[in-house]
Amino acid sequence: MSAFTDHVRELQSRWTQALTAARIDAVVVAAGQPKPYFLDDQSPPYRANPHFAQWMGGAECPQSLLLVTDDGRARLFFHQVEDYWHQPPVQPELEGAIDIEVHGSSESLMNAVTKAVERRNRTAFIGETEPTGSNLPFDDLNPPLLLNALHYGRAKKTAYEVACMREATAIAVAGHRAAEIAFRSGGSEYDIHQAYLTASRQTESELPYSNIVALNAHAGVLHYQHYDREPPAVRSSFLIDAGARYKGYAADITRTYAHESTDPFAALLHDVDQAQQALIASIRPGMSYVALHEQAHRAIGRLLVDHALVSGSAEAAFEEGITDAFLPHGLGHLIGLQTHDVAGHMTSAEGGTRAPPARYPALRLTRTIETGHVFTIEPGLYFIPMLLRELRKAPAGKRVNWPNVESLLGYGGIRIEDNVLVTDDGIENFTRDAFSSE
Ligand code: GLY
Ligand code: MN
Ligand code: MN
């Protein structure tokens, strides 16, 4: 049996369980379709409903519907109209694991689905409800009980999903290698971005998220969104946060480079990289991700002291909240069909949640780490003027070595981001493995 058919088997078992628990006997999952801009006939790039894409080997199949019944059987009602304006969608290759019915119109497709569920007691629908809304012929639209169970389960990847994520990583790493070369040869942010796209053979709309390509102080803007056409007069640092998708599964990778290997920023970068790897080496199933995030803050406290940016003890830098100004985002997040995959705050399939601690509102992952989870580990250390201004006013600001900190403002910051799979005795690091292979 192939990895894909095994994957479908696993989905069948998860969905049977989720449907039974929610007392629903059949659910229709809509792929979705492009949605035009307000008062326009143009649409942003369309992405399939992830609950649909998970069964489809990433195929987007706009306007198709998938029927899943409580015995785990799935049937695709594939929408394929004749069209001379567009290339009609290609029927997905599902290896016989899912039955396919082809329909040449939305009307015939909807009639067939309605007929298929008419003898069912309780039916549900997962997808965008607009424009039909409450006219949809199902009992429950996006029922939370069902969604909770499916979302919770998505954190654990099947072997097929893991293989897709390794592949997405390899695509992204090809882009990252080209981006470093473009940086070293004097390219602008725009040039580097284009080099990334060419080497990874992706269009912008295929990317899982918009590339962050930041030279110098721009590296201190966490989600920097521009691509300067001109290279800066002086080049100090380069941060690139760029990914790829394979069959719908994302890679999310950040690397930071120093222009001069001998300057203090390069030494700091080296140590953030070491700290990131030490954090990853400590991961075991059963640990709390919140504890790992705190460990990252303590490591940043250590680095601030070691690099003469803060005086006193590393512990005090952490306890007094100084590290919050230098690392204002979470250590990472679940990743899969979505870059920031769902259910990072869930504690149970029934819908229990654990909010991030008040000190770390941006932390996207608070779950207990389990074998099969895939998440990012992305500590950072930034020089962000607006956060430093606040710190300067606080009592703890007295312990900051401001001349040293200010000398690094022009470098923006550092982030190192890998994607890891939790195994029974540690992790598999997709990102480091791909960077170290030829
Ligand atoms: N690229 C967005 C993130 O790292 O979460
Ligand atoms: Mn990330
Ligand atoms: Mn990222």
Side-chain angles (χ1 to χ4, degrees):
M1 219 174 356
S2 77
F4 179 73
T5 54
D6 273 350
H7 167 75
V8 170
R9 286 257 161 105
E10 172 62 21
L11 293 185
Q12 288 177 317
S13 131
R14 289 184 194 178
W15 283 56
T16 296
Q17 214 178 330
L19 285 166
T20 309
R23 300 183 193 285
I24 290 168
D25 13 28
V27 58
V28 172
V29 189
Q33 57 191 296
K35 228 193 326 205
Y37 296 112
F38 184 54
L39 301 180
D40 203 337
D41 64 356
Q42 301 294 310
S43 321
Y46 149 76
R47 264 186 211 187
N49 170 355
H51 290 292
F52 178 91
Q54 197 177 19
W55 291 85
M56 290 293 125
E60 302 206 307
C61 310
Q63 299 189 58
S64 290
L65 299 175
L66 178 74
L67 170 67
V68 185
T69 45
D70 58 1
D71 55 3
R73 287 178 63 86
R75 194 185 332 162
L76 173 64
F77 295 79
F78 181 58
H79 187 264
Q80 194 180 46
V81 290
E82 279 203 291
D83 184 357
Y84 53 83
W85 292 99
H86 305 100
Q87 182 76 30
V90 176
Q91 193 169 310
E93 177 43 69
L94 303 175
E95 301 179 20
I98 295 167
D99 298 333
I100 305 181
E101 248 181 54
V102 181
H103 288 268
S105 76
S106 311
E107 209 176 26
S108 111
L109 194 150
M110 199 59 194
N111 285 341
V113 170
T114 309
K115 194 160 184 329
V117 299
E118 74 191 352
R119 275 199 281 277
R120 297 281 175 171
N121 273 333
R122 190 153 194 88
T123 60
F125 173 86
I126 297 179
E128 291 249 40
T129 51
E130 297 306 327
T132 8
S134 54
N135 293 333
L136 284 165
F138 309 105
D139 301 307
D140 289 303
L141 305 182
N142 296 313
L145 217 55
L146 179 60
L147 286 180
N148 284 339
L150 297 174
H151 285 167
Y152 186 74
R154 279 228 325 252
K156 275 206 184 199
K157 270 47 183 185
T158 65
Y160 166 80
E161 291 177 307
V162 166
C164 289
M165 296 183 81
R166 285 194 198 106
E167 203 56 46
T169 307
I171 296 167
V173 165
H176 274 267
R177 287 190 172 127
E180 184 188 357
I181 293 169
F183 163 62
R184 303 252 182 239
S185 51
S188 66
E189 291 169 348
Y190 176 82
D191 298 328
I192 297 169
H193 174 60
Q194 294 301 331
Y196 182 93
L197 293 176
T198 301
S200 63
R201 302 186 67 75
Q202 298 177 92
T203 65
E204 300 221 41
S205 64
E206 287 166 343
L207 295 170
Y209 57 92
S210 298
N211 283 352
I212 298 167
V213 180
L215 292 174
N216 301 343
H218 292 160
V221 180
L222 298 181
H223 285 168
Y224 176 67
Q225 72 276 41
H226 301 295
Y227 305 103
D228 274 357
R229 289 343 189 230
E230 294 301 323
V234 177
R235 55 189 48 235
S236 309
S237 63
F238 168 45
L239 183 154
I240 173 165
D241 185 344
R245 288 199 293 160
Y246 182 76
K247 295 193 188 252
Y249 289 87
D252 176 9
I253 300 173
T254 309
R255 287 295 180 265
T256 308
Y257 304 95
H259 185 249
E260 294 296 337
S261 61
T262 51
D263 66 15
F265 178 79
L268 191 59
L269 170 58
H270 172 270
D271 286 357
V272 173
D273 190 63
Q274 296 286 302
Q276 190 255 17
Q277 292 191 63
L279 281 171
I280 290 176
S282 76
I283 297 171
R284 297 286 178 278
M287 282 173 66
S288 136
Y289 196 91
V290 178
L292 205 59
H293 172 86
E294 282 205 336
Q295 223 174 291
H297 267 264
R298 288 177 195 276
I300 294 300
R302 174 88 266 144
L303 294 188
L304 291 172
V305 170
D306 288 353
H307 289 260
L309 299 171
V310 171
S311 61
S313 74
E315 192 53 27
F318 167 71
E319 293 295 345
E320 292 172 19
I322 295 176
T323 56
D324 301 12
F326 293 92
L327 172 52
H329 62 69
L331 178 63
H333 49 86
L334 295 169
I335 178 167
L337 286 161
Q338 291 161 294
T339 304
H340 298 149
D341 221 356
V342 284
H345 294 159
M346 291 188 75
T347 54
S348 71
E350 291 72 38
T353 57
R354 183 183 298 120
R359 178 170 168 181
Y360 310 115
L363 181 58
R364 290 192 166 96
L365 182 50
T366 58
R367 284 173 73 154
T368 302
I369 294 168
E370 288 179 48
T371 301
H373 284 180
V374 178
F375 48 69
T376 69
I377 296 288
E378 47 181 307
L381 200 173
Y382 308 87
F383 306 99
I384 302 174
M386 84 177 246
L387 299 182
L388 295 174
R389 271 197 298 276
E390 290 303 308
L391 178 58
R392 205 190 262 271
K393 284 189 247 157
K398 282 202 276 301
R399 298 211 298 102
V400 175
N401 182 337
W402 290 106
N404 284 359
V405 167
E406 276 158 12
S407 72
L408 291 167
L409 278 172
Y411 294 82
I414 297 164
R415 177 163 69 256
I416 310 284
E417 176 175 28
D418 290 349
N419 303 165
V420 304
L421 163 72
V422 182
T423 61
D424 287 337
D425 51 6
I427 57 93
E428 174 184 334
N429 188 327
F430 298 150
T431 316
R432 299 272 169 177
D433 291 353
F435 270 109
S436 58
S437 75
E438 276 315 301

